[in-house]
């Protein structure tokens, strides 16, 4: 009886892995597809006949590194994104703490205003922002990208962190206060560790938005000084060579990899964070 | 190690009264229990002592010093919370050490103090665990150790045992009382459990709707209740409160007649009698009714008698058994009768 149960459970496990594996493959298919495009010679990509055994080629790889300052684009992306997430956290954590813990007039309205910045179409503010940054002398710098990415993501980072803070029992803070901790201490030693999954979740989502950001980056970055991966992709579409599909695919893949690695590395926190926010937020 | 005075304390939440006219003088080293149903203002009163709430009016003094404007973290009080409030990201060791760290106790002394406090609550083997890895009782003890560790002037305990099962609660009660006596620290304890109040307290403060109903030793509260609320709240099963009329020294209610009462006043009066001061008799007595229920507990048998529409609880002999609806007569120990004004609920003395 026991062995039977064990066996059936084993079968079940195999089935489970098979289904999950199949699903993972479906999800990964587009990624593998553009990776395969990126590693093929140009001539093979644009033929109308399907090619079942593609030729492996590093043409695009060599091209993006030698003909284009891809390393700088990558560096720009990474710096701008990390910087923007840090700015977001520094601003969002105190804001969320205030919104979730103190009672004052208009608190809920302020919370809503913060969220509402996310509701307008980005194009509406594109021109004013261009002038704003031009007057500040920030055009074509990574600093400008950090600021703009931070501004785009700040509202929902604040909102996610706030929902996590609301879940922390008030008792915990009362205990810390009677134990002799100041407000800042409480925030630093009690609250932040307790909402770490939320902070990580918000940061990862902010990173994903930032790495995909195109409109404002294009507006602000006019030379390779501040070009990021997402804008660099546009380089491969308009030139005398026509659309360079394999380079686009490869750069897209390179933009995808860092986020993928981060997500896998902190997967445990992330899944907990997303579900927690979903249920209780 | 501190005397606490609450003078004319009022607390209003918006338009709602949380606490009204509270005047209590808590002696040094006293174990005082605030008892009352939920929402009676007992926790709010405690939180005002802790400095987590500000009184709308009135003064809180510790050893004569006015505390109203002193922040919670600068008052030398330690609090144990209902949900334990252990810091989830820290080990038990770090939890117990936290108040020492916050109050700038020299690093060299911290370790010994933490181990001493953990020893008092028998948690030495669990110091490197996180709170999630402990049982309810162990978490409770960890919270207690965190309060003990810095030897505060005052302990505040907010329903610390209410999340534990009955058996553990009894064991922890003994521990808490033992530790309090050992450390001789003034303790304010909030509970809605009258057994906890009776067993732990030097004095009990009974509260209802934000107001103090009676302050006294457990014996005073039990034997000399000030009003029907106190009478009905203390005791398990609680005191029988039977509404009726008093005239010419005779109290009458459906199925009930008690003569020879002091004739201080007449009219609508409520008679109070504890189940243990009732006894089943043969032949007519103070109360005639029918058997409504019989509950043997082993050590005793609780008999519920129906007289008119009223159910009266009687503590009978352990061997007492009876069929439902059979007539039964109950006598009262007339020296332990209480009379209350029905309208106000106040005791008639």
């Amino acid at each position: 009886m026991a062995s039977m149960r064990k066996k059936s459970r084993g079968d079940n496990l195999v089935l489970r892995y098979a289904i999950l594996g199949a699903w993972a493959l479906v999800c990964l298919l587009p990624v593998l597809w553009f990776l395969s495009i990126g590693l093929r010679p140009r001539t093979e990509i644009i033929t109308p006949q399907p090619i079942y055994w593609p030729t492996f080629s590093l043409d695009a790889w060599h091209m993006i590194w030698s003909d284009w300052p891809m390393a700088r684009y990558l560096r720009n992306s990474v710096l701008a994104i990390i910087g923007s997430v840090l700015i977001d956290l520094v601003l969002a954590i105190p804001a969320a703490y205030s919104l979730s813990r103190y009672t004052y007039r208009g608190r809920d309205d302020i919370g809503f205003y913060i969220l509402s910045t996310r509701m307008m179409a980005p194009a509406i503010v594109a021109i004013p922002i261009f002038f704003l940054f031009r007057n500040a002398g920030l055009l074509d710098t990574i600093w400008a990208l950090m600021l703009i990415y931070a501004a785009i993501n700040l509202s929902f980072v604040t909102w996610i962190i706030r929902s996590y803070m609301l879940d922390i029992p008030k008792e915990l803070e009362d205990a810390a206060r009677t134990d002799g901790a100041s407000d800042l201490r409480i925030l630093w030693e009690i609250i932040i560790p307790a909402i770490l999954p939320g902070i990580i979740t918000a940061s990862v989502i902010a990173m994903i938005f930032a790495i995909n950001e195109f409109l404002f980056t294009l507006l602000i970055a006019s030379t390779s000084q501040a070009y990021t991966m997402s804008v660099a992709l546009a380089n491969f579409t308009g030139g005398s060579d026509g659309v360079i599909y394999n380079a686009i695919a490869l750069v897209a893949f390179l933009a995808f990899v860092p986020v993928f690695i981060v997500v896998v590395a902190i997967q445990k926190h992330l899944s907990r964070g997303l579900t927690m926010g979903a249920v209780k937020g | 190690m501190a005397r606490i005075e609450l003078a004319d304390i009022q607390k209003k939440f918006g338009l709602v009264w949380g606490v009204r006219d509270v005047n209590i003088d808590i002696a040094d080293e006293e174990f005082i229990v605030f008892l009352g149903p939920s929402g009676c203002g007992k926790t709010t009163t405690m939180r005002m002592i802790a400095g987590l709430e500000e009184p709308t009016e009135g003064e809180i003094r510790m050893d004569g010093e006015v505390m109203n404007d002193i922040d919670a973290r600068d008052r030398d009080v330690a609090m144990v919370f209902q949900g334990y409030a252990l810091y989830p990201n820290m080990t038990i060791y770090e939890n117990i050490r936290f108040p020492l760290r916050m109050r700038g106790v020299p690093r060299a002394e911290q370790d010994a103090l933490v181990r001493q406090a953990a020893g008092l609550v028998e948690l030495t083997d669990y110091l490197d665990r996180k709170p999630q890895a402990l049982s309810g009782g162990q978490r409770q003890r960890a919270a207690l150790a965190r309060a003990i560790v810095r030897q505060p002037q005052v302990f505040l305990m907010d329903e610390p045992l209410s999340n534990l099962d009955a058996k553990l609660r009894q064991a922890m009660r003994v521990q808490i009382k033992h530790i309090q006596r050992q450390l001789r620290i003034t303790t304010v304890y909030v509970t809605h459990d009258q057994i906890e109040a009776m067993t732990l307290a030097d004095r009990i403060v009974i509260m209802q709707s934000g107001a103090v109903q009676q302050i006294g030793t457990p014996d005073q509260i039990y034997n000399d209740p000030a009003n029907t609320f106190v009478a009905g709240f203390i005791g398990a099963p609680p005191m029988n409160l039977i509404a009726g009329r008093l005239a010419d020294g005779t109290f009458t209610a459906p199925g009930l007649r008690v003569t020879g009462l002091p004739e201080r006043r007449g009219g609508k009066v409520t008679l109070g009698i504890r189940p243990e001061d009732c006894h089943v008799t043969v032949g007519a007595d103070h109360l005639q009714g029918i058997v409504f229920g019989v509950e043997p507990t082993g050590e005793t048998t609780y008999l519920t008698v129906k007289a008119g529409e009223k159910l009266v609880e009687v503590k009978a002999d352990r061997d007492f058994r009876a069929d439902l609806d059979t007539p039964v007569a109950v006598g009262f120990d007339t020296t332990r009768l209480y009379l209350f004004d029905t309208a106000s609920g106040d005791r008639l003395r």
Side-chain angles (χ1 to χ4, degrees), chain B residues 215-282:
Chain B
I215 304 177
T217 64
D219 286 343
Q220 283 167 351
I221 298 275
Y222 192 78
N223 294 322
D224 199 7
N227 54 38
T228 47
F229 177 77
V230 176
F233 199 75
I234 292 281
M239 184 186 283
N240 295 301
L241 295 167
I242 306 154
R245 296 193 73 83
L246 182 66
D248 303 328
T250 302
F251 177 87
T252 48
L256 195 144
R257 184 183 165 84
V258 184
T259 54
L261 294 168
E263 206 175 325
R264 259 170 242 138
R265 55 158 283 184
K268 288 186 174 173
V269 162
T270 297
L271 177 131
I273 181 84
R274 292 203 179 276
E276 60 267 37
D277 299 324
C278 303
H279 50 273
V280 179
T281 55
V282 187

Side-chain angles (χ1 to χ4, degrees), chain B residues 7 17 51 56 86 91 116 188 200 214 228 247 249 254 269 275 286 329 334:
Chain B
W17 285 99
T56 314
L86 294 170
T91 63
Q116 191 191 348
V188 180
L200 288 170
Q214 189 173 0
T228 47
V269 162
H286 297 117
T334 48

